[in-house]
Amino acid sequence: MNRPLISPSLLSANFADLRADIEQINRSDADWLHIDIMDGVFVPNISFGFPVLKYVAELSEKPLDVHLMIVNPEKFIEEVKDLGTMMMNVHYEACVHLHRVVQQIKDAGMKAAVTLNPSTPVAMLADIIRDVDMVLLMSVNPGFGGQKFIVHTLDKVRELRELIAHTGSQALIEVDGGVNLETGKQLVEAGADVLVAGNAVFKAPDMLDMIHRLKSL
Ligand code: DX5
Ligand code: ZN
């Protein structure tokens, strides 16, 4: 079992002092920085927009893992690319022409990930799994940090691991929502490659130590 990649979610950072939190992440064992973009339509919340993220991107030394919780995410491929994004995550539920959107993301020079809401079955990925670099399984309903982990996600991770093995896909498995030391351990045992953690990291007394401990699961 490999050590998981850790992608701290900036949604739980101190928005009054993002610079301090990003500098902490830069100094940590974190692998990526997870950024949640919301539109108040696809999810019942709004987070940060591109004018703020431009400065976040300049400060971050970690590759950006950008999670778009918006309708019509294909409209913003250029803006996401201009941040220097490594991985662009779009929701399965937000893309009627998912195959086209995945190709557009890759043509723009980014890695492409497809995200599933908790109620969307892994089986829906059968015809796209070979084309994506990562699948992001939501383990809470998207929109807010600090929610309780949905335990059924562990079954979805195992099912996705099988689908990846059977199809010869190279996709990584990332999980987002309610991840802490306990749920993180269960996820790694089930086959997750990347753990997103918001509250567990940014509300920890020692952020660097928490990231190190998650990374050591
Ligand atoms: C929720 C976001 C998550 C969120 C996770 O919609 O996609 O990335 O920040 O926060 P925690 O880890 O606190 O559940
Ligand atoms: Zn997220």
Side-chain angles (χ1 to χ4, degrees):
M1 216 156 49
N2 289 325
R3 288 193 160 181
L5 300 177
I6 305 300
S7 192
S9 174
L10 198 66
L11 190 64
S12 297
N14 176 3
F15 282 18
D17 198 356
L18 282 175
R19 179 191 291 269
D21 277 354
I22 294 167
E23 284 173 353
Q24 289 258 71
I25 299 296
N26 287 343
R27 282 202 299 277
S28 77
D29 289 343
D31 296 278
W32 303 342
L33 180 63
H34 185 86
I35 295 181
D36 295 297
I37 302 181
M38 305 180 187
D39 65 356
V41 178
F42 183 71
V43 289
N45 196 9
I46 294 177
S47 53
F48 6 55
F50 293 104
V52 174
L53 293 178
K54 176 176 175 287
Y55 292 100
V56 167
E58 279 173 19
L59 290 168
S60 178
E61 293 168 9
K62 304 288 182 180
L64 302 183
D65 172 35
V66 178
H67 175 195
L68 286 109
M69 283 158 275
I70 65 173
V71 297
N72 304 321
E74 68 281 358
K75 284 189 184 168
F76 292 96
I77 290 174
E78 277 306 306
E79 283 85 347
V80 174
K81 177 196 171 166
D82 288 347
L83 294 174
T85 297
M86 178 267 305
M87 182 76 76
M88 178 167 168
N89 301 265
V90 296
H91 269 260
Y92 170 87
E93 303 83 3
C95 299
V96 176
H97 302 291
L98 181 61
H99 184 272
R100 177 185 292 146
V101 179
V102 165
Q103 300 311 320
Q104 287 172 333
I105 293 170
K106 295 204 283 195
D107 288 348
M110 294 178 283
K111 294 190 178 197
V114 172
T115 309
L116 297 187
N117 276 336
S119 62
T120 304
V122 165
M124 305 313 280
L125 295 169
D127 291 328
I128 196 75
I129 192 69
R130 294 170 191 80
D131 297 294
V132 296
D133 297 293
M134 190 171 81
V135 174
L136 169 52
L137 296 177
M138 289 308 301
S139 41
V140 297
N141 286 291
F144 304 92
Q147 301 182 80
K148 191 172 180 298
F149 180 79
I150 298 171
V151 176
H152 176 60
T153 313
L154 296 170
D155 293 330
K156 291 177 79 172
V157 171
R158 287 187 275 265
E159 194 183 339
L160 179 55
R161 191 37 75 217
E162 275 183 31
L163 179 68
I164 288 170
H166 287 155
T167 55
S169 161
Q170 299 291 311
L172 294 172
I173 303 177
E174 181 177 54
V175 182
D176 182 8
V179 173
N180 53 34
L181 289 170
E182 188 191 350
T183 56
K185 186 170 174 31
Q186 294 167 341
L187 285 165
V188 171
E189 283 169 4
D193 302 298
V194 189
L195 302 177
V196 176
N199 265 35
V201 166
F202 288 96
K203 308 296 184 213
D206 184 339
M207 214 190 284
L208 268 61
D209 178 62
M210 179 51 71
I211 292 171
H212 183 75
R213 287 165 71 187
L214 286 165
K215 181 94 196 140
S216 308
L217 285 175

